[in-house]
Amino acid sequence: MIRRTVRIWIAAAVLLGPAIASANSDALQRTKDLINIFLKVRSGTDAQPLSAPDRRANCVLFGQIDAYFDMETMMKSALAPNLDKFSPAELKSVTRDFAQIVRSLAYPGSGKFFDRAKYTMSGPFNNGDRSDVRMDVLEQGKDWETEVTYHWEMKNGKWMIVDASFDGDSLVVDYRNQFSRIIEQDGKDGFRNKLSEKLAEAVKKTPLCD
Amino acid sequence: MRLIPGLLVAAVLVLPVAGLAQEFPLHRVDARHCAGLALVRNPQIVEAEAKVQEYRARLLEIENIIYPKLQATFTAAPMFTVEANFDSTYSDFANIDRRWQSIDDWGPSTRLDLRLIQPIYTFGRKESGERAAQHRLEVERARLRETENTVALEVQKLYYMYLYARSVTPTLEWANRELIKIRNKANEWYQAGNGKVTKADLAKIDFGDTELQWLRITARDGMRSTLDGLRLAMGLNSDDEFIVDVAKLPNVDGVTAESLPELLEAAARMRPEWAQVEHGLQATIALADAERLAMAPTAFFTAFMRHAWTPTRDEATNPYLNDPYNTLRGGLALGLNFDVDAGKAVARSKQAQAKADQLRALQTFASSGIPLDVRRRHMELMSAIEFQGRTDTGRRAARQWVTFASTAFMAGVGPARDVLDGMAAYLQATRRYYESIAEVHLAQAKLRYAVGDIAEPPQCQVEHGQPNKPTESE
């Protein structure tokens, strides 16, 4: 009986081991794939804005980048202390606005950033349900060194980013505090207005994709 | 045959360039190269080396006392005619005929004196003089090491201060670029009257800008002046190109100080002041011996010869007469030479006393001052290492300040003020960070100077490359 149990466990380990290793190595591969997409994003300047074909190409890339981020989980976590104040529709609305802000302000410069920066990746490191990939980045022109950690969770069979840490501190936790402060000062509607104003400002710089 | 014109053309094109490379040598240097070049070419070191040669020559002079000396004198002069019979009574001077009225009455008078002297014995004076000169030479060698250590410390100070200015420059230039964008955006908001900025905010930005420009100018001028100082310390000419082949201050992670007892023991062996004291005292004793023997004679052996010829004068062949005009004589002799100068002996004795007083002062410094110096520099290094760790933490914190303020501002949930304050904090933290790294390097150099082993043997490697003056931003 004991020998049979041991054989079952050994067989399970042999069968499942590669699958677990493969699942973990996907997080690192996913990070590399994401960076490769970022590198293709084209950047314009005030003097030389992007042409229409370049903007269309970027929109395609932004759609691909979106697939790597679980904005819903991130926003739910950031609004956790105040989640009961938002209806499902309002939650969906703020998540959409926030995602659009990130698209308009963060995505366009990402290609230039990763092109200029030197970075090394390590991991993935198991962190409960999460798999963390660490990137040490050096922006030589600014003499700026930082450690970015991408926190991945398996969602519907795919690794998705649910948080990022800078020098060990979580971005989502900081947003949680920022959002809570605003909601306490200005209420839920004040918070929604701030996001809307920021979005209006952001789309002037980078128009929304169709 | 076709190759020859091609080679000639190539030679014509290559030769001027090759000459140019030799005319303006280009040095690519790091800390070791800077120190190496300085140890070879620094004017203070060259002067100290010349002093060593001077005392080596003095020792040689004393050693040469025992070598034979040749003295020779030759004179030629016109002489008139004197005729007399010196074989008869030498008192018959009435019969001496002197004629000088006619040119035919004049002729040459030559004289040659030769003396070969071989000193044999100085009654101990040479030996004590040699001892004094040898120890004095060792004192100058120790002074040369002291000069090398001083120059090496100076080079390291200039080198690390240059790298400090160079290290902070990228952050300063980045801050300058960002501040321009921020000022433009703030002016735009202010003109739009949207309440995001007030006049006080604009004034804060302008004030911050003046501080930033002061830092940029200080960094730029710091790089220039330290490079000029390095050029002087390395003994390079004004048209010698050189570039510092290091972009930033080297990291000091893991740097520790050796144990204090080990450092004190090393200083007792290596500080050049000890050698100066030891050899200086020996030289003083030997000099005192030499001065005591100053009035002792020198025994010598000599061979001498005199030849005089004056055809217009009769030769006196009487052996009892000394005829200085026509003679050939010589011989061998043993002699004693006395040089008695009481005043000089007293003055030299006082000089020896003064030298002894100097050495006693140096001994006092060496016995208490050097260990104190080592302790102080050791403590400074420990403090610098500790402080550097904290500035690393501070810089990281300021970086997080900027990062999270920027992400909050980007999301519309954080004020721009936080980003500006974060940037100012990051700038200050970066300056402090690099300052602290430079302080560790300088503290290490000062400790090595206190121990006496800062000057490494010259290992300079001169390389030729593209002329490239240091730029203000990377």
Side-chain angles (χ1 to χ4, degrees):
Chain A
M1 176 71 180
I2 294 172
R3 280 186 197 169
R4 188 166 169 240
T5 308
V6 166
R7 277 194 212 118
I8 288 168
W9 277 109
I10 291 171
V14 167
L15 287 169
L16 288 173
I20 293 168
S22 165
N24 277 339
S25 70
D26 278 350
L28 179 61
Q29 189 56 51
R30 287 278 282 174
T31 310
K32 289 178 182 174
D33 293 342
L34 175 62
I35 305 301
N36 283 335
I37 301 173
F38 276 133
L39 283 166
K40 292 176 191 167
V41 172
R42 285 148 216 188
S43 305
T45 59
D46 289 340
Q48 241 179 329
L50 289 174
S51 63
D54 282 345
R55 281 203 303 275
R56 280 197 293 276
N58 273 358
C59 281
V60 170
L61 293 169
F62 291 172
Q64 292 173 7
I65 292 169
D66 284 345
Y68 286 80
F69 289 91
D70 184 356
M71 283 294 180
E72 203 182 311
T73 301
M74 287 169 76
M75 277 306 277
K76 271 190 181 161
S77 179
L79 286 169
N82 299 284
L83 212 53
D84 55 347
K85 296 186 174 82
F86 290 83
S87 68
E90 284 169 339
L91 185 61
K92 202 171 172 183
S93 168
V94 295
T95 302
R96 187 189 58 236
D97 285 354
F98 186 79
Q100 296 283 23
I101 290 168
V102 171
R103 259 187 171 223
S104 295
L105 294 181
Y107 286 0
S110 55
K112 208 195 291 188
F113 169 79
F114 281 106
D115 197 36
R116 282 198 296 220
K118 278 189 177 174
Y119 50 90
T120 52
M121 282 189 264
S122 56
F125 306 103
N126 281 341
N127 184 10
D129 292 338
R130 292 185 175 182
S131 189
D132 295 344
V133 173
R134 181 176 144 170
M135 183 189 290
D136 293 305
V137 185
L138 170 64
E139 286 181 79
Q140 281 182 302
K142 284 163 36 175
D143 187 29
W144 182 281
E145 284 178 78
T146 192
E147 175 198 304
V148 183
T149 307
Y150 296 97
H151 303 286
W152 298 83
E153 271 184 18
M154 187 66 79
K155 303 277 180 186
N156 301 322
K158 260 197 218 171
W159 287 107
M160 305 275 282
I161 294 174
V162 294
D163 194 3
S165 295
F166 295 91
D167 288 327
D169 285 304
S170 159
L171 186 61
V172 167
V173 171
D174 186 58
Y175 275 140
R176 187 181 301 155
N177 284 280
Q178 299 277 1
F179 294 171
S180 292
R181 181 171 55 84
I182 293 169
I183 291 169
E184 189 171 318
Q185 278 174 5
D186 304 329
K188 170 186 71 173
D189 291 331
F191 171 72
R192 291 182 69 192
N193 287 340
K194 273 200 187 294
L195 283 187
S196 301
E197 280 170 19
K198 192 68 189 182
L199 178 58
E201 196 185 304
V203 296
K204 281 184 197 168
K205 207 175 163 195
T206 309
L208 294 173
C209 293
D210 297 330
Chain B
M1 291 301 291
R2 272 189 222 159
L3 192 58
I4 295 172
L7 282 175
L8 283 173
V9 168
V12 165
L13 288 173
V14 162
L15 279 174
V17 174
L20 202 64
Q22 285 177 1
E23 199 176 325
F24 297 105
L26 180 65
H27 305 283
R28 192 181 291 273
V29 297
D30 61 12
R32 192 167 50 88
H33 297 151
C34 286
L37 275 168
L39 289 177
V40 171
R41 295 172 71 152
N42 180 277
Q44 287 172 280
I45 288 176
V46 171
E47 188 188 338
E49 281 172 342
K51 206 116 177 120
V52 170
Q53 295 308 320
E54 181 193 331
Y55 279 89
R56 190 175 279 131
R58 285 192 192 183
L59 174 61
L60 200 60
E61 189 185 337
I62 293 170
E63 285 170 348
N64 285 349
I65 285 175
I66 213 68
Y67 290 162
K69 285 127 186 82
L70 178 67
Q71 294 169 355
T73 310
F74 175 78
T75 58
M79 178 52 65
F80 53 86
T81 302
V82 175
E83 284 173 352
N85 182 8
F86 287 102
D87 286 334
S88 63
T89 171
Y90 54 79
S91 61
D92 191 6
F93 290 112
N95 288 329
I96 295 171
D97 183 17
R98 297 182 181 84
R99 298 195 301 278
W100 59 81
Q101 288 86 355
S102 163
I103 192 74
D104 293 331
D105 295 329
W106 290 82
S109 174
T110 65
R111 182 160 157 166
L112 172 66
D113 281 303
L114 284 173
R115 188 184 289 270
L116 181 68
I117 303 167
Q118 172 60 61
I120 300 167
Y121 189 59
T122 61
F123 296 89
R125 197 152 51 94
K126 173 181 173 281
E127 287 74 18
S128 52
E130 268 180 347
R131 275 200 316 276
Q134 184 65 53
H135 285 297
R136 193 71 185 84
L137 175 61
E138 291 306 318
V139 168
E140 288 306 317
R141 282 194 177 124
R143 284 199 179 144
L144 171 60
R145 281 205 310 279
E146 192 180 350
T147 305
E148 285 173 346
N149 288 347
T150 304
V151 167
L153 178 62
E154 189 59 27
V155 165
Q156 292 208 25
K157 277 185 190 171
L158 290 164
Y159 180 79
Y160 287 117
M161 289 321 295
Y162 168 78
L163 282 184
Y164 162 69
R166 197 164 174 182
S167 300
V168 297
T169 295
T171 306
L172 292 175
E173 295 307 309
W174 162 72
N176 190 47
R177 289 192 297 271
E178 293 303 307
L179 199 59
I180 291 170
K181 289 182 207 167
I182 288 167
R183 196 207 273 114
N184 289 342
K185 193 70 187 172
N187 277 326
E188 201 182 292
W189 284 342
Y190 187 73
Q191 295 306 321
N194 58 19
K196 287 186 180 177
V197 290
T198 62
K199 187 61 192 170
D201 293 326
L202 290 179
K204 272 189 212 173
I205 292 170
D206 286 340
F207 174 75
D209 185 47
T210 54
E211 293 289 298
L212 177 60
Q213 297 317 314
W214 175 78
L215 289 172
R216 288 178 75 218
I217 290 167
T218 306
R220 181 199 67 198
D221 292 349
M223 282 203 287
R224 282 186 192 153
S225 65
T226 47
L227 274 182
D228 286 342
L230 270 174
R231 181 189 299 282
L232 186 66
M234 289 193 289
L236 297 178
N237 298 323
S238 57
D239 53 1
D240 275 337
E241 293 280 346
F242 79 97
I243 51 176
V244 176
D245 206 13
V246 176
K248 267 191 345 183
L249 278 165
N251 218 314
V252 291
D253 290 344
V255 163
T256 54
E258 291 163 66
S259 76
L260 189 56
E262 279 175 14
L263 292 167
L264 288 168
E265 189 271 332
R269 271 186 296 111
M270 287 193 277
R271 277 291 288 257
E273 286 87 345
W274 288 118
Q276 288 177 46
V277 166
E278 186 192 326
H279 288 291
L281 283 170
Q282 294 298 322
T284 305
I285 293 167
L287 196 62
D289 287 342
E291 287 312 312
R292 205 171 46 251
L293 294 167
M295 291 189 240
T298 302
F300 64 92
F301 173 79
T302 184
F304 61 92
M305 186 207 77
R306 175 173 286 175
H307 177 258
W309 176 69
T310 311
T312 55
R313 291 179 75 108
D314 287 339
E315 184 179 346
T317 55
N318 188 328
Y320 291 97
L321 291 178
N322 180 17
D323 183 357
Y325 295 99
N326 289 288
T327 185
L328 173 63
R329 53 193 166 103
L332 303 167
L334 281 170
L336 287 174
N337 182 48
F338 286 86
D339 185 4
V340 178
D341 189 336
K344 195 166 151 187
V346 166
R348 287 240 172 115
S349 170
K350 285 186 176 171
Q351 280 177 26
Q353 183 60 45
K355 278 260 184 295
D357 290 341
Q358 286 174 36
L359 285 165
R360 271 193 286 276
L362 187 60
Q363 193 172 35
T364 304
F365 164 71
S367 59
S368 56
I370 289 177
L372 191 64
D373 199 24
V374 172
R375 281 198 181 87
R376 185 163 60 105
R377 297 303 185 194
H378 180 256
M379 197 173 67
E380 281 174 4
L381 177 58
M382 304 288 280
S383 298
I385 291 169
E386 185 188 350
F387 183 63
Q388 200 284 312
R390 295 192 194 283
T391 61
D392 196 15
T393 307
R395 190 176 181 228
R396 188 181 154 111
R399 196 167 56 221
Q400 286 190 314
W401 184 344
V402 173
T403 303
F404 287 98
S406 300
T407 49
F409 177 71
M410 185 204 71
V413 295
R417 192 168 298 123
D418 281 356
V419 180
L420 269 177
D421 290 344
M423 276 178 60
Y426 180 70
L427 200 59
Q428 193 179 1
T430 299
R431 273 184 57 221
R432 218 173 267 170
Y433 170 74
Y434 282 118
E435 215 171 81
S436 69
I437 292 180
E439 280 304 321
V440 171
H441 285 295
L442 291 173
Q444 279 186 306
K446 286 174 189 172
L447 179 58
R448 294 263 64 88
Y449 179 82
V451 170
D453 68 352
I454 185 173
E456 293 174 351
Q459 291 177 28
C460 62
Q461 295 169 22
V462 175
E463 294 179 18
H464 293 273
Q466 295 297 320
N468 180 23
K469 292 238 187 301
T471 53
E472 286 182 8
S473 58
E474 294 296 326

